[in-house]
Amino acid sequence: MPPPSEKVVDLADCIAALPPEEIKQIAPVLLFRLNQEPPQAISGQGFSFGLQGGSGAGAAKAEEKKAEKTVFDVKLEKFDAAAKIKIIKEIRTFTDLGLKEAKELVEKVPVILKQSLTKEEAEAIIAKIKTAGGVAVVE
């Protein structure tokens, strides 16, 4: 596959700079514009996936046992106004954003800085933001 054109890279940068709420809106709008049908969800309704106890004990255990979260997002909650430049520089170290994009991102506080991270990566970024004078949280 050939490398993406500059236009495609610029478009990807613009999309990456959007807030998470707007990013979620891209797929449906794009499918509509391209006259594509949205994918249909597969329902397990009506199918039996194992033995069922008379008291529903298996279902109760399944509800109690929640899947442990393995993917995390880092959200910048707030920062000290005097530390704005430090925060922008720090954000540029763990993202591929340019100076302008990083500045615009910081000015949108509260905002998701990075998505789909491991717990260790998220904690490392939060520590860096805290050192620079900001407050970030894991979502």
Side-chain angles (χ1 to χ4, degrees):
M1 181 189 274
S5 69
E6 187 65 33
K7 190 174 179 181
V8 171
V9 172
D10 290 341
L11 180 61
D13 289 339
C14 290
I15 291 171
L18 292 173
E21 304 84 42
E22 291 179 358
I23 290 174
K24 291 176 185 174
Q25 297 171 2
I26 292 172
V29 171
L30 192 56
L31 287 171
F32 177 76
R33 289 285 176 111
L34 297 173
N35 295 325
Q36 298 289 319
E37 294 278 333
Q40 298 296 320
I42 299 174
S43 172
Q45 191 174 15
F47 293 98
S48 176
F49 294 108
L51 300 174
Q52 296 179 351
S55 64
K61 286 181 184 177
E63 288 178 19
E64 289 177 19
K65 188 188 242 186
K66 292 183 179 179
E68 188 174 325
K69 191 172 180 181
T70 58
V71 178
F72 300 90
D73 299 338
V74 175
K75 181 178 183 179
L76 179 63
E77 290 284 317
K78 60 184 176 179
F79 61 91
D80 184 23
K84 182 176 181 179
I85 294 171
K86 290 179 186 176
I87 299 291
I88 292 169
K89 287 181 179 179
E90 196 58 52
I91 288 172
R92 291 188 66 209
T93 63
F94 58 83
T95 64
D96 294 332
L97 298 177
L99 183 60
K100 180 182 175 188
E101 292 85 7
K103 180 180 179 276
E104 289 172 354
L105 186 68
V106 168
E107 290 172 347
K108 293 180 185 177
V109 168
V111 65
I112 300 290
L113 296 177
K114 192 133 178 159
Q115 297 177 323
S116 303
L117 301 170
T118 65
K119 187 172 185 175
E120 293 79 22
E121 290 171 327
E123 289 174 350
I125 289 173
I126 289 173
K128 290 178 184 178
I129 295 294
K130 184 177 180 182
T131 302
V135 177
V137 296
V138 174
E139 288 197 338

